[in-house]
Amino acid sequence: MIRFSGDSRKKQDIFKKTHTIGMIASAPEIDIAAASIALANYYRSAKGYNTALVIAGDDDGFRDMLSGAECIDIDPCGYNNGILACYFLKNRNDLEKMMDKGYDRIVIDLAAGRYANEDLLQIERINAFISTAVWRIGSTRQFLHSTIIREERLRQRFGNTVYSVTGTAGMCRSISEEFRIGVQQTGELASISDPYRLTRDDLRIISRLA
């Protein structure tokens, strides 16, 4: 077993990098909260990373859920629900403060936030969930036009790939050809019943987003 001396450990911490992963959706019925919790839990429990879950914007549901939890920070506001450290971010400055807390991974739920492309560019990687169902094609196209098409640099953040939660394989191919991006179907995401207690099948599904 290799043991680090005090000095070498300190040097290692100086160069430690925090990876930020944003979770975003084009349709309100896509449960980004559950997907964000599942991914953060995957990083924490399956990969052993020191992980924080971040809620961008004002989400009353999370506030209610965490109102009785142990406060771990007030700037930005953070709680520990017994499984994950959870924070509320109001603006870009809060994200910069989070980066100084020494987490290995920060998973950011962007569903409730009001963000601009400039804000998205502050995040290292973005998992974007879309719907290619017929009744959602209009909003999906608008979402892709306002992000990937309008801001070419976001293609790198998206990995030039989005995830279709609902819709047909044919419509996924159509969107892929129209926007020159990869579209992966992830309908299985809805089968994760408890993001805090991931099964082996859940881990297989969520690992694709890691």
Side-chain angles (χ1 to χ4, degrees), residues 5-70:
S5 68
D7 289 341
S8 62
R9 173 69 72 180
K10 188 173 182 180
K11 289 180 181 178
Q12 187 183 51
D13 289 343
I14 290 174
F15 296 104
K16 181 179 178 181
K17 179 175 174 59
T18 299
H19 295 278
T20 53
I21 304 94
M23 305 284 276
I24 193 173
S26 66
E29 68 268 20
I30 298 175
D31 193 351
I32 284 295
S36 299
I37 294 170
L39 181 59
N41 192 21
Y42 169 82
Y43 281 131
R44 182 196 66 86
S45 59
K47 306 298 288 185
Y49 294 130
N50 184 18
T51 304
L53 173 68
V54 162
I55 314 303
D58 193 9
D59 189 305
D60 291 336
F62 270 95
R63 287 189 182 278
D64 291 342
M65 182 181 74
L66 300 172
S67 61
E70 177 187 355

Side-chain angles (χ1 to χ4, degrees), residues 23 34-43 45-47 129 186-210:
M23 305 284 276
S36 299
I37 294 170
L39 181 59
N41 192 21
Y42 169 82
Y43 281 131
S45 59
K47 306 298 288 185
F129 299 87
T186 56
E188 298 170 297
L189 198 64
S191 69
I192 298 177
S193 59
D194 187 346
Y196 285 111
R197 294 176 175 82
L198 299 175
T199 66
R200 183 173 297 178
D201 287 339
D202 295 339
L203 292 173
R204 174 181 57 80
I205 294 167
I206 207 68
S207 64
R208 301 173 189 171
L209 307 174

Side-chain angles (χ1 to χ4, degrees), residues 9 22 26 28 35 40 42 45 47 57 61 63 72 77 80 102 105 113-114 132 141 163-164 181 185-186 194-195 210:
R9 173 69 72 180
S26 66
Y42 169 82
S45 59
K47 306 298 288 185
R63 287 189 182 278
I72 56 176
C77 183
N80 190 324
R105 297 290 185 276
R114 296 177 180 174
T132 53
R141 285 195 171 104
Y163 301 92
S164 177
I181 59 173
Q185 288 185 285
T186 56
D194 187 346

Side-chain angles (χ1 to χ4, degrees), residues 70-178:
E70 177 187 355
C71 181
I72 56 176
D73 219 331
I74 58 173
D75 186 24
C77 183
Y79 301 86
N80 190 324
N81 62 14
I83 299 178
L84 290 170
C86 307
Y87 291 84
F88 295 103
L89 264 63
K90 300 180 292 296
N91 52 50
R92 190 182 304 175
N93 290 336
D94 283 348
L95 180 58
E96 292 174 357
K97 293 173 185 175
M98 282 296 304
M99 297 290 287
D100 293 332
K101 293 185 181 296
Y103 287 103
D104 300 314
R105 297 290 185 276
I106 297 176
V107 178
I108 308 169
D109 174 359
L110 293 161
R114 296 177 180 174
Y115 46 82
N117 285 352
E118 292 78 13
D119 298 319
L120 296 180
L121 285 167
Q122 303 303 310
I123 300 171
E124 183 178 359
R125 183 162 59 82
I126 300 169
N127 290 328
F129 299 87
I130 65 171
S131 171
T132 53
V134 174
W135 59 89
R136 282 297 185 191
I137 287 300
S139 60
T140 295
R141 285 195 171 104
Q142 182 180 10
F143 169 78
L144 294 174
H145 271 294
S146 64
T147 53
I148 289 178
I149 299 302
R150 183 171 295 178
E151 178 52 80
E152 183 67 23
R153 291 178 298 168
L154 281 175
R155 282 186 180 270
Q156 181 181 2
R157 301 296 195 277
F158 282 77
N160 206 36
T161 301
V162 294
Y163 301 92
S164 177
V165 177
T166 58
T168 65
M171 194 58 76
C172 286
R173 285 194 297 272
S174 177
I175 291 293
S176 177
E177 292 169 1
E178 179 179 350

